[in-house]
Amino acid sequence: MNNKSYKLTKSNINSGLQCKKKLWFDFHEKILEKNNSRKIIGNNFNIIIRKKYGEGLDLSNNKDIPDVINQTQNAINSDKFNVIYEGAFIHQDTLVRTDVLIRKKNEWELLEAKSSKSLKPEYIPDIAIQSFIVRACKVNLSKIKLIHINGDFLYKGNNNYDGLISENEITKEVKLKEKDVLNYIDDLKSLAEKNKPCPSIPMGNHCKKPYPCIYQDKCKDDEPKNNFTSYKILPWCPNDLRKYCEENKIMDLQKVPEKFLLSNRKGFAKHYHKIIQEAHKKNEPWINPNLKKVLKKFSFPFYFMDFEYVDQGVPIVKNTKPYVKLPFQWSVHKWDSENSKIDNGKNFLKFSDHDIERQFIESLLEAVGDSGTIFAHSAKLAEVKRLEELKEKDNCKDLADKIDELIKRIEDTLILIGENFYSPLMNGKYKIKNIIKAIPNCPINYEEKDNIAGGDDAQSAWFICTDPKTDEREKENQKKFLLDYCRKDTLSVYYLIKYLMEKTKNN
Ligand code: SF4
C-alpha cells in the first residue's frame, strides 16, 4: 500500500467534477454542511447495512487515517474478517473509504451504498473512483455493486428490515469509467495548493445538479451587482430565451424581446412573463382586474392550512414505505368573517406513532369543520397529494368520502397568485415566503436565527426528534421550532388573502 498522506478524497473529486470553484471552496473556504435529512437517511441506512452484511471490521468511527489504512491492510492480509466497513485506501494522493468490502475466497466484492431508490448516472464515476484506487492498492475486486433502498419495501414493524436493501451489480459500467479517474485526479489536484486562485466560474445549472451546491450564497454575493433586474428571475425561463440572452450579452429583463417571453403556463395568468417584465419596469404590483370577482367566490369561514411531511428513507412507522411522504404535522387557522379576528390556530404534531396517519387525518377533519374555503399554498403539489395518498391507506380508507369533501374546499393560493397577482418585490418567486415580502407591514419573518427556514429543515427536525439518541430538551426545542414554522406558513396565507381583499375593496 502507498504512503499515508493525501491531497484529494472521493468527495473532493465529486465536488470538482460538478464545479472546480466548488472544490476550491472545499479546500480554502469550506462551509460545513448542516446535518440535512439526506445525511441522516444515509446514517440510518448504514445501520441496516451492518445488520444485513453482518459483523466485521467496522472502521467508520475511526478518523485516524494512517491507522485505518493499517487496519484495512491487516484485515485484507489475514482471514480474521470477511467484511470490512469503511476501509481506507490511498493511491495517487487520493484517499477513498469504501462502504463495504466482502471477502469471496481470494477476491473481494466492493459494495457502495447510496440511500436513493435507484441507480443514478452520477454514481458510476463516483464508484469508479473507489474501485480504481482499491485495485491500485492491489485488492482483487471480483464484483462491484451499488446497494440502495428498495422503494417497494413495506415496513411491517419489529425492526424487521429484510428486503429494504437492493443490490445492483455494476462491475462492467464502473470498470469502463475507471480509465478516467487518473485524469480527474491530475486535473483537480492543483486546486488544493495554498496560493491557487479561485477559478472564475459563473453560476448556472451546474449549481443545482447533480447536487445542490452549498456555496450558492457565496457565489451570488460574488456576482456583479446591477442597477437593473436580471432576466434570470423569470420563472421557467425557456432555453431559447437563455440562449438568446447569452449570445447577445443581455442581462436586463427589460431588453428581452417579447417573442421569447412565455405566455402560457397552467396556473399562471396569460402572458405572465410579460406581466413580470412590465411590473418591474413600472416598479409596481400587477393585479388582475378580475381579482375581486375571484375572491367573491370564496366562502367564510376561511381556513388556512399547511402540512409538513417527511421522506423517511428507512421507514420507522409501521405500514409505510421508504420514500412515500409521511405527513406528521398540520397547522390550521380559522377566520370567521371579514370583520372578525383570526383565531389562535390549532395544530397537530406527532412523529412515529404507529397510527400517526389516522390521528393526523381525524384531527384535521375536526379542525376544518365541514364548510368554508380552505386556503393552502402550493396545495396541488403538497396538501392535496398527501390527502389523496391518505385515502388509499388501509387505516384511513373509511374516511375517503370526508377527505374528498375536504379536498373540494381547498383553494391553492399558488394558483390564485399566479393567475392574479405579481409584485416586483417577489423577484420572480412564488413561494409563500417570497410573496409575503410584497405585503406591506406583514409581521411574518422566516429569517429568524436558529429557526426552521424551509421544508428540508422541517424534515431534519423530524429525524432529530425520532432519533433515540436525542435528549428530551433538544426534542422540545425542535418541536417548538416546528410548531412555529408551520404556524408561520398558515398565518402568511391569511395575511396574503387579507391583503388581496383590502387591495380590491374599492375596485
Ligand atoms: S454555486 Fe455554482 S458556481 Fe458557485 S461553487 Fe457552487 S457550483 Fe460552482
Side-chain angles (χ1 to χ4, degrees):
M1 203 167 280
N2 265 319
N3 70 46
K4 288 156 192 167
S5 67
Y6 61 92
K7 285 187 181 157
L8 289 174
T9 63
K10 184 189 78 165
S11 311
N12 292 149
I13 297 178
N14 281 329
S15 259
L17 290 179
Q18 180 167 352
C19 170
K20 284 186 183 165
K21 191 173 178 183
K22 182 171 186 244
L23 177 56
W24 187 91
F25 282 137
D26 284 347
F27 284 132
H28 305 284
E29 293 180 15
K30 193 170 175 66
I31 295 178
L32 284 179
E33 218 175 329
K34 272 210 290 185
N35 227 4
N36 63 23
S37 45
R38 203 159 42 92
K39 250 188 183 169
I40 303 172
I41 292 174
N43 292 341
N44 292 345
F45 189 40
N46 279 338
I47 296 171
I48 309 300
I49 289 170
R50 277 146 186 76
K51 270 190 189 156
K52 176 171 166 96
Y53 296 101
E55 276 188 22
L57 175 65
D58 190 347
L59 297 163
S60 46
N61 291 325
N62 190 340
K63 307 289 174 225
D64 176 353
I65 297 301
D67 183 52
V68 180
I69 288 175
N70 276 339
Q71 290 205 48
T72 308
Q73 180 73 84
N74 292 341
I76 287 172
N77 291 340
S78 78
D79 36 11
K80 196 169 161 205
F81 297 103
N82 288 326
V83 186
I84 305 171
Y85 298 104
E86 288 286 327
F89 301 86
I90 291 180
H91 176 70
Q92 289 282 334
D93 290 333
T94 304
L95 166 75
V96 297
R97 297 200 65 170
T98 48
D99 289 331
V100 192
L101 280 167
I102 300 180
R103 188 192 302 272
K104 299 281 169 179
K105 295 187 181 149
N106 295 325
E107 299 179 319
W108 291 83
E109 280 187 5
L110 170 67
L111 274 56
E112 277 301 300
K114 301 283 176 200
S115 51
S116 61
K117 279 194 299 184
S118 58
L119 174 64
K120 295 182 182 169
E122 61 268 24
Y123 294 165
I124 301 295
D126 173 303
I127 299 172
I129 301 164
Q130 307 280 77
S131 61
F132 172 81
I133 304 282
V134 172
R135 277 188 219 281
C137 293
K138 311 269 182 292
V139 179
N140 210 349
L141 289 183
S142 58
K143 277 185 189 163
I144 300 163
K145 292 177 181 171
L146 167 75
I147 46 176
H148 60 86
I149 290 183
N150 168 15
D152 294 327
F153 171 80
L154 179 70
Y155 179 56
K156 288 286 187 192
N158 295 326
N159 254 338
N160 183 351
Y161 288 98
D162 292 349
L164 177 79
I165 296 177
S166 284
E167 286 189 3
N168 203 332
E169 200 199 326
I170 46 171
T171 315
K172 230 165 93 193
E173 299 88 320
V174 170
K175 251 183 151 175
L176 269 175
K177 203 72 196 162
E178 283 176 20
K179 65 175 178 2
D180 296 334
V181 177
L182 256 186
N183 292 339
Y184 300 157
I185 295 171
D186 288 345
D187 191 33
L188 299 172
K189 211 157 48 179
S190 69
L191 286 163
E193 287 165 13
K194 208 169 160 214
N195 297 321
K196 188 85 181 169
C198 178
S200 163
I201 296 173
M203 293 183 78
N205 288 342
H206 61 281
C207 303
K208 305 232 164 87
K209 282 182 186 166
Y211 306 103
C213 177
I214 51 168
Y215 301 113
Q216 292 186 55
D217 286 345
K218 251 172 170 333
C219 286
K220 271 182 204 148
D221 286 346
D222 288 352
E223 296 222 309
K225 303 278 175 284
N226 302 313
N227 52 3
F228 55 79
T229 304
S230 163
Y231 76 88
K232 290 184 182 173
I233 67 146
L234 287 172
W236 299 283
C237 196
N239 282 340
D240 57 345
L241 188 156
R242 245 180 236 286
K243 202 164 156 240
Y244 175 85
C245 289
E246 272 162 22
E247 282 171 5
N248 293 282
K249 307 223 173 321
I250 290 175
M251 276 301 281
D252 187 348
L253 171 63
Q254 301 308 329
K255 296 196 173 139
V256 179
E258 199 171 333
K259 65 175 179 181
F260 290 109
L261 298 174
L262 287 183
S263 54
N264 283 314
R265 188 174 179 93
K266 209 168 170 234
F268 284 83
K270 210 160 167 45
H271 302 296
Y272 70 104
H273 271 183
K274 184 75 194 151
I275 286 170
I276 293 174
Q277 195 186 46
E278 283 288 306
H280 283 271
K281 191 173 173 184
K282 295 182 189 156
N283 197 24
E284 58 184 46
W286 168 82
I287 298 179
N288 186 340
N290 275 337
L291 179 58
K292 189 170 184 172
K293 223 157 102 191
V294 174
L295 294 173
K296 278 245 173 317
K297 72 174 195 226
F298 305 138
S299 54
F300 278 104
F302 287 173
Y303 291 89
F304 306 94
M305 179 178 84
D306 183 60
F307 295 176
E308 298 304 325
Y309 41 85
V310 62
D311 280 330
Q312 299 174 86
V314 176
I316 58 168
V317 174
K318 215 170 150 181
N319 291 321
T320 60
K321 288 186 174 184
Y323 283 100
V324 174
K325 295 178 187 335
L326 174 78
F328 65 90
Q329 180 179 16
W330 57 250
S331 165
V332 169
H333 278 87
K334 185 182 180 192
W335 189 24
D336 278 316
S337 69
E338 216 173 333
N339 302 322
S340 67
K341 278 191 170 170
I342 189 166
D343 76 352
N344 287 331
K346 292 184 174 153
N347 59 64
F348 171 91
L349 176 61
K350 291 270 161 84
F351 295 105
S352 55
D353 298 33
H354 72 278
D355 61 346
I356 183 171
E357 293 156 305
R358 177 82 193 185
Q359 292 184 46
F360 179 98
I361 192 64
E362 273 184 347
S363 55
L364 179 72
L365 287 165
E366 202 185 313
V368 296
D370 46 24
S371 66
T373 304
I374 303 169
F375 296 95
H377 198 70
S378 203
K380 288 260 179 301
L381 297 173
E383 283 73 11
V384 171
K385 276 201 169 167
R386 298 298 79 80
L387 290 166
E388 296 283 3
E389 286 157 7
L390 284 175
K391 252 168 53 183
E392 301 303 318
K393 298 296 297 226
D394 282 345
N395 62 348
C396 301
K397 269 184 178 159
D398 60 311
L399 298 173
D401 290 347
K402 287 187 178 173
I403 297 174
D404 276 335
E405 288 305 313
L406 192 164
I407 292 172
K408 277 189 216 153
R409 291 165 54 205
I410 294 178
E411 187 61 38
D412 188 338
T413 47
L414 172 60
I415 297 174
L416 180 71
I417 291 301
E419 290 177 344
N420 298 289
F421 181 79
Y422 180 77
S423 161
L425 296 169
M426 288 157 60
N427 216 23
K429 298 187 178 77
Y430 286 83
K431 285 188 175 170
I432 191 68
K433 56 179 72 113
N434 302 108
I435 297 172
I436 59 162
K437 288 184 182 162
I439 303 174
N441 307 320
C442 178
I444 306 294
N445 176 11
Y446 283 90
E447 273 142 29
E448 286 161 27
K449 215 174 153 275
D450 297 332
N451 217 332
I452 288 174
D456 197 48
D457 286 351
Q459 291 211 40
S460 297
W462 182 89
F463 283 106
I464 293 169
C465 291
T466 53
D467 183 344
K469 293 197 285 297
T470 306
D471 63 42
E472 280 310 312
R473 205 164 138 205
E474 180 58 17
K475 266 188 208 166
E476 286 310 313
N477 274 342
Q478 295 295 328
K479 276 188 198 170
K480 198 180 145 300
F481 289 153
L482 280 166
L483 290 169
D484 192 39
Y485 171 65
C486 201
R487 184 181 156 82
K488 267 184 196 170
D489 277 356
T490 43
L491 283 174
S492 295
V493 179
Y494 157 71
Y495 283 110
L496 169 64
I497 295 297
K498 192 166 170 262
Y499 168 69
L500 295 179
M501 289 175 73
E502 281 164 4
K503 205 70 193 153
T504 52
K505 211 170 205 164
N506 301 322
N507 285 3

